[in-house]
């Protein structure tokens, strides 16, 4: 199903572009005179600041499949694109190994797509996410949490210790925030979440920060990759031309 959906993803891009940049279709307004033709009016559509795309399938299937690459590249070539990796905060609180698994997934998504990523700690109305931030910024604090769960970890605990040291550099440039999908906390400003306010919350601020990284890092990298690909094509074309000239010269000598 994911592969089939990817073949039609250009239609999704067209819909998103219409929502972001287009206008509403013309609609006919009734005239005061029944004999007169309807009056057509074109309304400018309200432009959207953000578009949230829920990617299909499990994270493994999307991140490491050709279909997932097609969809992420199509979005990144049309809009400033940021990955939002949602983490179940209560599950991370129950086990440091679960936290490390989530961070490893996030790292794989970052290096697979090369897109900026925002780590979104969800359900902070149940468990605050400050302990996750502490584990990301304080290596010793995470080691202490592993020590407390050492009796249940086994071999996996040893692997988690090794990964925590390797991912320590990964955390330094990582953008993260805490939200609650149930209460709106972190998505809208505090005080407006329950009142239905529209003020920007931590999540959108994190997205804006990552969008700046998209312009400053991803776009130049994309241009460089395009230039490298074009240089490879030119090199292959020159090599094919030389091979053709050599074959033609050999044929002439055999006449």
């Amino acid at each position: 199903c994911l592969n089939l959906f990817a073949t039609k993803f250009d239609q999704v891009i067209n819909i998103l572009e219409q929502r972001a940049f287009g206008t509403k279709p013309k609609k006919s307004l009734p005239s005061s005179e029944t004999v007169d033709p309807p009056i057509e009016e074109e309304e400018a559509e309200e432009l959207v600041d953000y578009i949230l795309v829920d990617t299909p399938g499990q994270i493994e299937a999307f991140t490491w499949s050709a279909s997932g690459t097609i969809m992420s590249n199509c979005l990144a070539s049309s809009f400033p694109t940021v990955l939002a990796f949602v983490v179940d905060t209560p599950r991370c609180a129950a086990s440091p190994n679960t936290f490390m698994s989530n961070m490893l997934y996030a790292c794989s998504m970052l290096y697979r797509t090369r897109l900026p990523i925002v780590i979104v700690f969800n359900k902070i109305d149940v468990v605050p996410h400050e302990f996750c931030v502490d584990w990301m910024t304080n290596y010793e604090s995470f080691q202490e949490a592993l020590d407390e769960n050492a009796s249940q970890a086994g071999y996996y605990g040893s692997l988690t210790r090794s990964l925590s040291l390797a991912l320590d550099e990964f955390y330094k440039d990582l953008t993260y925030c805490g939200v609650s999908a149930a209460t709106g906390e972190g998505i809208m400003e505090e005080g407006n979440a329950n009142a239905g306010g529209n003020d920007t919350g931590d999540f959108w601020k994190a997205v804006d920060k990552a969008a700046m990284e998209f312009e400053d890092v991803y776009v130049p990298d994309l241009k460089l990759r395009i230039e490298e690909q074009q240089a490879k094509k030119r090199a292959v074309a020159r090599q094919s031309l030389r091979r053709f000239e050599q074959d033609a010269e050999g044929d002439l000598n055999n006449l």
Side-chain angles (χ1 to χ4, degrees):
C1 294
L2 183 60
N3 293 335
L4 180 61
F5 179 72
T7 62
K8 304 293 184 180
F9 200 69
D10 60 316
Q11 299 178 17
V12 178
I13 296 295
N14 290 336
I15 294 173
L16 297 181
E17 289 177 343
Q18 291 174 7
R19 292 291 306 275
F21 312 116
T23 57
K24 290 182 179 178
K26 293 182 179 181
K27 65 179 182 178
S28 297
L29 297 179
S31 174
S32 59
E33 299 289 340
T34 56
V35 295
D36 291 340
I39 302 173
E40 289 188 343
E41 180 182 1
E42 184 176 355
E43 292 184 356
E45 184 174 355
E46 181 181 356
L47 298 181
V48 296
D49 295 325
Y50 306 97
I51 298 175
L52 289 177
V53 179
D54 186 10
T55 56
Q58 295 179 333
I59 182 174
E60 297 91 340
F62 179 81
T63 304
W64 297 104
S65 68
S67 303
T69 302
I70 290 172
M71 283 183 269
S72 60
N73 288 346
C74 286
L75 288 170
S77 63
S78 302
F79 308 96
T81 303
V82 173
L83 300 176
F85 182 75
V86 182
V87 177
D88 192 328
T89 308
R91 287 185 176 273
C92 291
S95 173
N97 295 320
T98 302
F99 169 80
M100 181 53 59
S101 297
N102 280 276
M103 294 301 103
L104 191 59
Y105 273 131
C107 182
S108 67
M109 291 175 61
L110 176 66
Y111 286 100
R112 172 68 172 177
T113 63
R114 302 189 183 184
L115 289 168
I117 189 171
V118 176
I119 306 299
V120 184
F121 295 103
N122 193 21
K123 303 181 182 179
I124 61 173
D125 57 311
V126 179
V127 177
H129 70 295
E130 281 74 13
F131 75 93
C132 291
V133 176
D134 184 41
W135 287 352
M136 295 168 64
T137 56
N138 188 341
Y139 175 79
E140 297 298 332
S141 177
F142 184 70
Q143 297 302 311
E144 292 175 0
L146 288 176
D147 291 338
E148 295 175 0
N149 292 268
S151 59
Q152 304 175 0
Y155 172 76
Y156 193 30
S158 176
L159 177 62
T160 300
R161 290 181 187 275
S162 301
L163 289 174
S164 65
L165 183 60
L167 294 182
D168 193 49
E169 284 291 325
F170 168 72
Y171 298 145
K172 292 182 179 179
D173 298 322
L174 199 61
T175 304
Y176 49 83
C177 64
V179 304
S180 171
T183 65
E185 183 181 355
I187 302 174
M188 294 176 289
E189 284 287 1
E190 186 176 356
N192 288 328
N194 296 327
N198 294 322
D199 292 339
T200 302
D202 293 339
F203 172 73
W204 300 114
K205 292 176 182 177
V207 169
D208 289 337
K209 179 182 177 181
M212 294 177 60
E213 182 182 347
F214 176 89
E215 298 291 345
D216 296 339
V217 178
Y218 180 83
V219 173
D221 179 66
L222 178 61
K223 292 180 179 179
L224 180 60
R225 281 183 282 162
I226 292 175
E227 293 175 356
E228 291 177 351
Q229 189 67 23
Q230 291 175 345
K232 290 180 180 179
K233 289 182 178 180
R234 290 193 295 267
V236 171
R238 288 194 299 268
Q239 185 178 5
S240 299
L241 179 60
R242 285 196 300 267
R243 188 181 299 112
F244 172 77
E245 292 174 347
Q246 292 174 358
D247 293 342
E249 184 179 355
D251 292 339
L252 291 175
N253 294 332
N254 294 330
L255 294 178

